[in-house]
Amino acid sequence: MQRTAAARLSNILNTFSKRPLAFQTTATAAVTGGSLQKPFALVLSISNKMSTSSGSIKTLGAREAFQLDQELMGSGGYSLDQLMELAGLAAAHAIFKIHPLSNGERILVLCGGDGLVAARHLWYYGYKPTIYFPKKGKHEIFERLSTQLQKLGIPFTDDYETALKETDHIVDAIFGFSFTGTTIRAPFDGVISAMNSSPLPKTSIDVPSSWDIEHGPPSEGPGKGFAPDNLVSLMAPKHLVKYFKGRHFLGGRFCPPYLEEKYGLELKGLYNGIDQVTELPRVE
């Protein structure tokens, strides 16, 4: 089943709104977006946790990630706007580390909601973002986020093919953790295929578009062979990270301790100072 950021938003609103590290997975389905931190050594084992020197971080499946979002907006007291703002801020911080201005200021953001927020922050950091929105959500939150960008003079384009040739870095924020399956319909199929063919560096936010959160990259369709250079996991890494081989950042410093404990995340100690993201080791 294919679900866009708008579909995820609609669902949420309808229901209310190189130290030791192990990437581990279980056969059980899980329930449910400056510099490298201290060095890590990678250890692989079978479980649904990543172990670090400061504890272990559970990787989340789609249902579990969805439930965590719901609890943040319930007992956690967050609004959807706040969660999108914090996620987009973390993504922008990671992009600043991945692609400094000296590498080129043009950023093409292939958008969902988190991408709109990230683009605004990137503009304030000195970048020149361009927005391609494959299918704009109908909820007023997308109107407000788009208005914020338009007031800054950030351009929106319908011509992603030309935009892909006139940028220095591609930010993939099309699909989120709720995407499953292999069928990708228009207009998403064309842009994912074009992004996949581009030789430019790419950063995916939370989940590489077309990847299944449980099973990773697709074996067919427009996303076949798509492997972004960078991934920014939000709140906690998702199960698919065991298939990812590029630079991996974790962002989203807004999970209260009682939910960290409930979901087995143990995030304390992963971030330095005021950093909004931390870099995790590559999986070789």
Side-chain angles (χ1 to χ4, degrees), residues 19-21 37-38 40 50-57 250 260 265-271 278 280:
R19 294 189 176 175
L21 176 82
Q37 293 287 97
K38 302 171 184 179
F40 288 82
M50 300 165 48
S51 299
T52 72
S53 59
S54 56
S56 58
I57 309 172
L250 177 64
E260 284 188 27
L265 301 179
E266 300 182 34
L267 303 174
K268 186 177 180 180
L270 285 178
Y271 297 91
T278 184
L280 301 177

Side-chain angles (χ1 to χ4, degrees), residues 2 13 15-16 41 56 58 60 65 69 79 83 98 110 137 149 187 207 217 225 242 266 278:
Q2 177 180 326
L13 291 171
T15 55
F16 309 86
S56 58
K58 182 179 180 181
L60 300 180
D69 267 6
S79 67
L83 294 184
I98 290 164
L110 307 173
L149 301 186
V207 175
K242 63 180 175 288
E266 300 182 34
T278 184

